[in-house]
């Protein structure tokens, strides 16, 4: 029998493809800053900026909840600070909608692009059931479906760092929260992450620890993502 046609992209994924800017997918090696749930925490925000600058990131992905409830904060003003380090793509989070409904800049619910052969899919985690990986995989399914290696789903919302490979091969990455805002019963260190996209589609993920004094960068876990 003829091979089955690839499944169509979900409506959410298709919308992201149409509306979002593109990373430099031609780079052989690129470092991407991954940050989420900043909630307007200026001290940790400043540390993250310094760490990203020191790491030489080429792009920054923000997985939502840029601002908190402090008066005078806007999504656009805080993202402008990140753009002083590198181009930024941010998806909206529930606090962004609540405290700065217009956002003041383009923000989508999801974002998808590839760099050095690695495909990154970003969403906040409140609109898609973040506790159910199968639901997330269904909602964000790209044209042609998921690959056994080379696809990463980045999200936030829980404030709980996570780096875990799904049986399908898709890597789930939650960088944690820079604000360190406590979630009941959860360990929520102040941190962000660095995604090193290496030649051949391999990746390495590093932790950017933001608690205590100066920010520190350490290896999170080497991940074989050759595509």
């Amino acid at each position: 029998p003829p091979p089955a046609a690839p499944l169509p992209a979900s409506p959410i994924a298709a919308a992201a493809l149409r509306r979002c800017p593109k990373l430099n997918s031609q780079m052989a090696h690129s470092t991407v800053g991954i940050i989420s749930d900043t909630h307007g925490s200026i001290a940790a925000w400043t540390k993250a900026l310094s760490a990203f600058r020191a790491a030489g990131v080429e792009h920054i992905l923000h997985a939502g909840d840029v601002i908190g409830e402090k008066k005078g904060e806007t999504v656009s003003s805080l993202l402008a600070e990140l753009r002083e380090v590198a181009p930024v793509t941010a998806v909206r989070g529930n606090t962004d909608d609540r405290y700065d409904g217009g956002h003041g800049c383009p923000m989508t619910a999801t974002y998808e692009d590839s760099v050095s052969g690695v495909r990154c899919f970003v969403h906040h985690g409140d609109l898609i059931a973040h506790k159910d990986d199968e639901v997330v995989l269904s909602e964000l399914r790209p044209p042609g479906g998921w690959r056994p290696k080379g696809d990463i789903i980045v999200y936030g919302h829980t404030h709980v760092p996570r780096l875990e490979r799904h049986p399908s091969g898709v890597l789930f990455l939650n960088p944690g929260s820079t604000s360190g805002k406590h979630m009941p019963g959860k360990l929520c260190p102040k941190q962000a992450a660095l995604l090193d996209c290496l030649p051949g589609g391999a990746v390495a993920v590093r932790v950017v620890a933001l608690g205590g004094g100066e920010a520190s960068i350490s290896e999170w876990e080497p991940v074989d993502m050759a595509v």
Side-chain angles (χ1 to χ4, degrees), residues 91-212:
V91 296
R92 46 66 58 209
N94 49 293
T95 64
D96 302 321
D97 293 347
R98 183 181 308 148
Y99 300 116
D100 186 14
H103 302 150
C105 58
M107 295 183 83
T108 59
T110 61
Y111 173 78
E112 183 275 332
D113 211 338
S114 63
V115 56
S116 302
V118 177
R119 299 194 300 187
C120 297
F121 302 79
V122 188
H123 72 111
H124 181 57
D126 62 321
L127 298 182
I128 302 174
H130 63 271
K131 295 181 180 180
D132 190 331
D133 291 345
E134 302 303 325
V135 172
V136 174
L137 289 169
S138 176
E139 290 291 336
L140 295 180
R141 185 185 63 248
W146 298 105
R147 303 180 299 181
K149 288 187 177 181
D151 290 342
I152 301 176
I153 292 177
V154 177
Y155 69 104
H157 192 54
T158 68
H159 296 199
V160 179
R162 179 191 180 202
L163 182 64
E164 184 176 348
R165 188 188 299 279
H166 184 268
S168 66
V170 176
L171 188 70
F172 282 79
L173 170 60
N174 185 328
S177 168
T178 64
S179 71
K181 184 179 178 182
H182 181 67
M183 304 293 275
K186 303 293 185 180
L187 180 63
C188 304
K190 292 183 179 181
Q191 68 175 61
L194 294 168
L195 177 65
D196 296 307
C197 301
L198 309 171
V203 304
V205 181
R206 291 181 283 167
V207 176
V208 181
L210 303 171

Side-chain angles (χ1 to χ4, degrees), residues 49-61:
L49 290 177
S50 297
F52 284 169
R53 186 176 287 111
V57 301
E58 286 90 10
H59 201 96
I60 298 172
L61 298 179

